[in-house]
Amino acid sequence: MFENLELWWVTGAQLLYGGDAVVAVDNHSKEMVEGLNNCGRLPIKIVYKGTANSSKEVEAVMKAANNDEKCVGIITWMHTFSPAKMWIHGLQQLRKPLLHFHTQYNAAIPWDTMDMDFMNLNQSAHGDREFGHICARLGVRRKVVVGHWQDAKVQDHIAVWSRVAAAWADSQDMLIVRFGDQMNNVAVTDGDKVAAEMQMGYHVDYCPVSELMEYWKKVDDAEVKELFKTYLATYDYDPKIAEEGTTEHNAVMNAARAELALRACLKAKGAKGFTTNFDDLGTDDINDPNFVGFDQIPGLASQRLMAEGYGFGAEGDWKSAALYRSVWVMNQGLKGGCSFLEDYTLNFDGSNSSILQAHMLEICPLIAAKKPRLEVHFLGIGIRKAQTARLVFTSKTGPGITATVIDMGNRFRLIVNDVECIEPKPLPKLPVASALWIPMPNFEVGAGAWILAGGTHHSCFSYDLTPEYWADYAEMAGIEMVHINKDTTIEGLKKELRWNDVYYLINK
Ligand code: MN
């Protein structure tokens, strides 16, 4: 996923101290970039683009970055007293994420040997402030990372931003396809698709289920059998599924065909995500012997496509589909996993009060604690009530983070909540995948703050992401972020929401 991406490193320099100084800085920069690339902590390679010594050179490299598909962001470092007015035109044109790295080639001051030549080469204490001023003056959105380039903690800050930059680039070319519209009357999963494309980059289209059924009709029977075998090899399963002629077997075959049809349709459209709606599954009658189509909402397919990286939102929730895709991209190579989830039902239990996270079917198996089990059960909601396949599992325990984006009318608000996944109890009568979590700082304040902020009942969860990822994401997207965490109080949150309202009235 990240192999073909690049981050460009540009060193701010100038010719005031002569060409020799720039040559030395160039060598330092190369060594620093090489050191970062070899540190084993960065997911995307950094490409050194040389020193920028004038306004024209700055502008040229910014324009090149804008037009280079591989480049997902720019890292700048001012080794010297780099006069920052030369960055104005370039920064005004930069359309890619910016990381301003306040670092220095040497770690400690060489007290005994330091002379004026050394000073001329190692003045980022000075130059990075000059550059910071211009970024602040221009209102350039950026991340500032401070620390020595060989420090692992500093490298980790760059790594976080790199992953977010990759997800951001991915969302600029993201198509979300909606099979069916919004679940009727639901407000929070709706929103302004034009504004979303302007702000977040992704495009949302509608595809009638009848068009999806054209892909269904073309699915090859041999492929269905092959995928069925893959299911049995990958998951634990109800033995009846393996017996031809059983309801269970037929439902899983239907699910395999659904997965192949969905994937073929999404591939043909170049889509990175999709939504479904249990009220819109096509018009064919399931009791007709010539029935063609989904036996129910395509739950197993959605679960597996989510694990593969397709964004998914239930009930037409295109904002969650897009956000889940971004979470999946940021999560690449990390171990914990991620999923679309829904607040399902509450468990009042004193200080362990928690929220069961599940959905009718569509939870991503990447968060499963152990091998998921393939089962077939009746699902009596929606336009087509029938026996249908799904993966059943419970999630890992431990800390994670969940997020949603809502449309406030004059801006998008990202709401983020730190959560603690705890051990659930078995659900013998509710065969769905699930997680059980306590929202931070506790159930009462966490859930209260989420509701006051206007959060959805859907969210995109990850064990691997941290608040820093979401802060970087909000900065790149230029959207509001509300972070509910161990320090949140209802009083503080209400003030923050009011202050933010004023901010967004002024900064339209
Ligand atoms: Mn829902």
Side-chain angles (χ1 to χ4, degrees):
M1 179 98 217
F2 298 149
E3 305 91 70
N4 297 321
L5 304 181
E6 295 176 359
L7 296 164
W8 287 11
W9 174 296
V10 181
T11 301
Q14 56 159 330
L15 300 171
L16 181 69
Y17 306 127
D20 288 352
V22 174
V23 170
V25 165
D26 203 45
N27 288 332
H28 285 177
S29 302
K30 280 181 194 149
E31 194 182 325
M32 291 159 81
V33 168
E34 206 177 290
L36 287 167
N37 281 331
N38 293 330
C39 77
R41 310 183 82 85
L42 300 188
I44 298 174
K45 70 173 170 299
I46 303 175
V47 178
Y48 178 50
K49 287 286 166 180
T51 58
N53 300 295
S54 66
S55 185
K56 284 224 173 335
E57 287 177 21
V58 168
E59 203 174 330
V61 74
M62 296 299 185
K63 282 181 177 167
N66 286 344
N67 291 325
D68 191 298
E69 293 216 348
K70 294 190 296 301
C71 173
V72 298
I74 283 208
I75 299 174
T76 55
W77 167 60
M78 310 299 123
H79 86 91
T80 181
F81 171 49
S82 168
K85 285 210 252 180
M86 78 181 196
W87 289 87
I88 292 172
H89 292 293
L91 285 172
Q92 280 176 327
Q93 296 187 54
L94 180 64
R95 306 270 307 149
K96 298 276 168 94
L98 174 67
L99 184 147
H100 176 200
F101 193 13
H102 182 42
T103 190
Q104 184 168 276
Y105 173 70
N106 58 300
I109 290 177
W111 301 98
D112 297 335
T113 59
M114 183 162 65
D115 58 12
M116 199 47 85
D117 284 345
F118 178 91
M119 278 308 302
N120 290 343
L121 280 180
N122 297 282
Q123 283 193 326
S124 44
H126 190 163
D128 278 329
R129 276 160 184 73
E130 174 79 5
F131 180 77
H133 170 76
I134 282 299
C135 289
R137 182 76 191 267
L138 290 171
V140 174
R141 297 202 300 268
R142 81 275 198 205
K143 180 174 194 173
V144 178
V145 173
V146 178
H148 194 251
W149 56 280
Q150 288 171 313
D151 181 344
K153 271 190 286 187
V154 171
Q155 293 163 351
D156 287 347
H157 289 306
I158 298 173
V160 166
W161 176 83
S162 305
R163 288 175 174 281
V164 182
W168 184 248
D170 179 75
S171 75
Q172 305 313 300
D173 178 30
M174 191 196 292
L175 169 66
I176 301 295
V177 170
R178 305 170 78 215
F179 301 109
D181 201 319
Q182 222 73 18
M183 186 177 163
N184 285 345
N185 263 314
V186 175
V188 74
T189 57
D190 212 322
D192 183 340
K193 300 186 204 77
V194 174
E197 185 157 351
M198 287 162 64
Q199 194 82 41
M200 262 95 74
Y202 53 80
H203 181 81
V204 183
D205 268 344
Y206 170 67
C207 176
V209 178
S210 58
E211 189 183 329
L212 176 56
M213 284 308 124
E214 294 305 311
Y215 291 88
W216 176 286
K217 287 173 196 163
K218 287 184 202 133
V219 172
D220 182 26
D221 290 345
E223 267 190 275
V224 175
K225 282 186 186 146
E226 208 47 46
L227 185 56
F228 179 87
K229 277 193 220 155
T230 303
Y231 291 168
L232 299 197
T234 311
Y235 311 113
D236 290 336
Y237 55 90
D238 176 348
K240 281 188 223 139
I241 291 170
E243 279 174 52
E244 272 189 49
T246 60
T247 306
E248 287 79 4
H249 177 87
N250 293 343
V252 172
M253 291 295 272
N254 182 288
R257 197 174 291 274
E259 178 180 330
L260 292 164
L262 271 164
R263 189 182 289 106
C265 179
L266 295 170
K267 280 218 165 106
K269 290 177 180 293
K272 293 179 179 174
F274 67 104
T275 69
T276 55
N277 183 337
F278 53 75
D279 276 333
D280 191 352
L281 301 173
T283 52
D284 289 350
D285 177 5
I286 195 169
N287 297 314
D288 183 329
N290 299 317
F291 168 74
V292 169
F294 299 134
D295 54 18
Q296 240 296 5
I297 43 167
L300 177 62
S302 300
Q303 291 183 295
R304 286 176 45 85
L305 288 167
M306 244 191 278
E308 208 172 293
Y310 284 100
F312 174 78
E315 296 118 31
D317 183 358
W318 50 274
K319 295 201 301 306
S320 289
L323 198 66
Y324 172 77
R325 164 72 185 193
S326 295
V327 169
W328 182 87
V329 172
M330 291 190 257
N331 255 269
Q332 283 314 289
L334 305 177
K335 299 282 173 242
C338 53
S339 182
F340 164 85
L341 284 170
E342 172 172 285
D343 292 307
Y344 223 46
T345 196
L346 309 176
N347 187 44
F348 289 101
D349 182 20
S351 62
N352 279 322
S353 290
S354 57
I355 313 171
L356 183 72
Q357 300 293 318
H359 204 265
M360 285 183 299
L361 305 172
E362 309 95 333
I363 304 299
C364 178
L366 291 175
I367 65 166
K370 49 185 196 211
K371 199 192 258 194
R373 185 177 155 88
L374 183 57
E375 298 181 16
V376 172
H377 300 280
F378 184 74
L379 181 61
I381 193 168
I383 196 162
R384 199 165 290 157
K385 300 161 182 40
Q387 297 279 344
T388 194
R390 78 284 307 273
L391 293 173
V392 180
F393 55 86
T394 53
S395 79
K396 288 162 248 199
T397 56
I401 196 163
T402 205
T404 186
V405 169
I406 58 166
D407 185 347
M408 292 296 288
N410 65 341
R411 84 271 194 184
F412 290 99
R413 172 183 286 165
L414 171 71
I415 306 169
V416 176
N417 197 176
D418 301 346
V419 301
E420 181 74 25
C421 293
I422 59 173
E423 194 73 52
K425 288 186 183 159
L427 293 165
K429 299 284 186 190
L430 186 69
V432 296
S434 68
L436 183 69
W437 73 41
I438 304 174
M440 294 297 109
N442 54 56
F443 168 74
E444 186 185 354
V445 176
W450 185 275
I451 288 168
L452 281 166
T456 45
H457 66 282
H458 290 166
S459 67
C460 300
F461 168 80
S462 164
Y463 285 106
D464 304 295
L465 303 188
T466 61
E468 185 180 359
Y469 282 84
W470 287 118
D472 287 357
Y473 179 86
E475 182 74 18
M476 279 179 207
I479 61 174
E480 180 186 3
M481 173 171 161
V482 175
H483 178 208
I484 304 163
N485 57 52
K486 66 177 175 43
D487 300 320
T488 295
T489 63
I490 293 297
E491 185 186 1
L493 180 106
K494 285 173 89 169
K495 282 183 193 160
E496 181 183 344
L497 296 179
R498 288 193 191 112
W499 292 334
N500 288 359
D501 279 342
V502 176
Y503 174 87
Y504 284 96
L505 272 180
I506 296 166
N507 296 286
K508 277 191 181 161

